[in-house]
């Protein structure tokens, strides 16, 4: 395979293994993730955790059929008290975390401690919001995600995630991430009622066991190295059964914050409270997701606004 037909960075590639009910997605993130993580300047282990969460929401969110968001949220008693990542239909990604004093050691268990993991599908005010919540289990976020799908949705799931800094020759160092997840989802086009029990025949079981074992073998560098294309990696893993790939879906860093949204938050404060926020003649508000700074007059009017 040549570079010409390889799927680019910042995309999710949906795939199906042979004619089985095993469907998956492979994500490769570079510029979009680098933009998100560079804005925050978290300690590296925290950036890695957030990068893993961004991989997860990219792979999960890309399955949404309507307008809306897929939101990952983890809350715990560790040095990272809250971690949030979300995907908006169309491929917009953002993420943030609330961190304490550390120490910041690698892995979801060390960083988040004891707590809960929630995944939410929010398809707007006219649609029912779906949220699953489970305890955080497993040393790494991939294991926690597998446990979530097992407990909350009863869907056999395999996940591998990797995040790291990477420097291409002649380019500046950049955060990259890669992830692969597969699920056993029988039914027409993989559709199924939420909570419906999944029945696996012997053949299904064999196909699923093989897939999850292959995904277990994926190395971090296979997920991160831009020289190994997404298609090459899928072919390496599933050449026995055959693998079908669908249209790649683009991803980008996109927060969606603006003066109006921040204004709406400021309107909840009293004039006295607003007065307390003034520094050097301005009220400054920094977006918790993209770290963009907004300035308002002491009366709460946006900078340059009327
Ligand atoms: Zn923002």
């Amino acid at each position: 395979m040549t570079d010409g037909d390889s799927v680019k960075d910042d995309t999710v590639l949906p795939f199906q293994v042979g004619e089985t009910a095993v469907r998956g997605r492979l994500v490769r993130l570079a510029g979009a993730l680098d933009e998100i993580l560079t804005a925050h300047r978290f300690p590296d282990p925290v950036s890695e955790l957030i990068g893993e969460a961004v991989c997860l929401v990219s792979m999960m969110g890309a399955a949404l059929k309507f307008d809306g968001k897929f939101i990952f949220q983890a809350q715990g008693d560790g040095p990272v008290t809250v971690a949030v990542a979300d995907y908006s239909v169309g491929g917009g990604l953002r993420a943030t975390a609330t961190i304490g004093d550390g120490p910041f050691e690698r892995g979801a268990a060390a960083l988040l401690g004891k707590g809960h993991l929630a995944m939410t599908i929010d398809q707007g005010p006219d649609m029912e919001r779906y949220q699953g919540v489970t305890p955080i289990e497993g040393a790494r976020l991939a294991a926690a995600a597998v446990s979530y799908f097992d407990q909350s949705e009863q869907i056999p799931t395999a996940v591998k995630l990797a995040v790291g800094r990477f420097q291409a020759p002649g380019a500046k160092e950049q955060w990259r991430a890669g992830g692969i997840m597969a699920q056993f989802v029988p039914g027409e086009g993989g559709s199924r009622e939420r909570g419906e029990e999944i029945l696996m025949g012997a053949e299904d079981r064999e196909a699923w066991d093989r897939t999850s074992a292959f995904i277990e073998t994926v190395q971090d560098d296979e997920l991160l190295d831009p020289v190994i294309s997404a298609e090459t990696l899928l072919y390496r893993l599933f050449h026995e059964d055959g693998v079908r790939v669908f249209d790649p879906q683009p991803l980008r860093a996109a927060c969606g914050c603006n003066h109006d949204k921040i204004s709406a938050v400021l309107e909840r404060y009293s004039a006295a409270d607003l007065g307390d926020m003034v520094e050097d003649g301005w009220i400054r508000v920094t977006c918790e997701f993209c770290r963009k700074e907004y300035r308002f007059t002491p009366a709460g009017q946006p900078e340059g606004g009327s």
Side-chain angles (χ1 to χ4, degrees):
M1 193 167 295
T2 65
D3 274 355
D5 49 19
S6 69
V7 173
K8 294 187 170 50
D9 285 336
D10 296 325
T11 52
V12 177
L13 187 64
F15 64 89
Q16 179 181 6
V17 178
E19 294 304 317
T20 71
V22 177
R23 286 163 182 277
R25 285 179 212 98
L26 190 147
V27 62
R28 282 286 181 72
L29 285 162
L33 181 70
D34 191 64
E35 187 178 331
I36 292 168
L37 294 180
T38 304
H40 287 293
R41 298 160 181 259
F42 290 131
D44 278 3
V46 180
S47 291
E48 289 166 16
L49 178 74
I50 296 300
E52 290 179 348
V54 172
C55 282
L56 268 184
V57 295
S58 301
M59 293 189 286
M60 292 304 299
L64 293 180
K65 291 182 180 68
F66 312 103
D67 207 15
K69 275 177 179 291
F70 188 96
I71 305 157
F72 165 98
Q73 187 160 17
Q75 265 177 303
D77 63 3
V80 175
T81 48
V82 180
V84 183
D86 65 48
Y87 169 100
S88 297
V89 165
L93 295 169
R94 58 179 201 167
T96 188
T98 307
I99 64 174
D101 294 332
F104 299 102
E105 282 162 29
R106 275 198 171 76
L111 291 169
L112 291 163
K114 283 192 180 53
H116 287 86
L117 193 81
M119 301 215 203
T120 308
I121 296 170
D122 186 346
Q123 299 196 302
D126 300 334
M127 299 277 286
E128 204 181 330
R129 195 175 151 102
Y130 170 79
Q131 186 175 59
V133 183
T134 62
I136 298 166
E137 279 172 14
R140 298 285 302 266
L141 197 63
V146 168
S147 160
Y148 169 87
F149 288 109
D150 184 42
Q151 291 184 45
S152 175
E153 324 235 340
Q154 290 90 45
I155 303 176
T157 303
V159 181
K160 236 359 187 339
L161 304 168
V163 180
R165 293 175 191 272
F166 192 89
Q167 188 164 22
K172 75 176 178 63
E173 193 182 54
Q174 191 180 46
W175 282 102
R176 291 185 65 87
I180 184 167
M181 76 183 285
Q183 296 188 306
F184 185 85
V185 277
E188 188 63 38
S191 68
R192 142 183 184 275
E193 289 299 311
R194 199 172 287 287
E196 191 182 318
E197 195 185 350
I198 289 179
L199 299 169
M200 273 188 173
E203 226 173 277
D204 291 338
R205 169 58 63 189
E206 209 185 304
W208 173 251
D209 287 348
R210 209 163 46 232
T211 302
S212 53
F214 286 152
I215 287 182
E216 241 352 272
T217 66
V218 177
Q219 302 296 308
D220 283 5
D221 65 336
E222 291 180 295
L223 290 170
L224 294 176
D225 190 342
V227 170
I228 304 165
S229 78
E231 298 93 328
T232 302
L233 177 54
L234 289 175
Y235 180 76
R236 268 188 203 173
L237 292 171
F238 304 118
H239 61 92
E240 264 179 62
D241 290 286
V243 59
R244 195 140 57 104
V245 300
F246 302 95
D247 288 341
Q249 297 174 35
L251 300 164
R252 64 186 200 288
C255 183
C257 62
N258 56 43
H259 263 113
D260 287 351
K261 287 184 188 170
I262 310 270
S263 271
V265 175
L266 287 183
E267 275 166 23
R268 294 185 214 142
Y269 291 89
S270 68
D273 285 342
L274 288 178
D276 289 342
M277 294 181 208
V278 176
E279 262 179 64
D280 304 329
W282 294 100
I283 296 169
R284 291 183 172 79
V285 180
T286 303
C287 171
E288 60 173 328
F289 281 95
C290 67
R291 309 305 303 166
K292 182 174 172 184
E293 189 188 83
Y294 291 89
R295 295 207 301 180
F296 296 83
T297 66
Q301 294 297 322
E303 183 180 18
S306 53

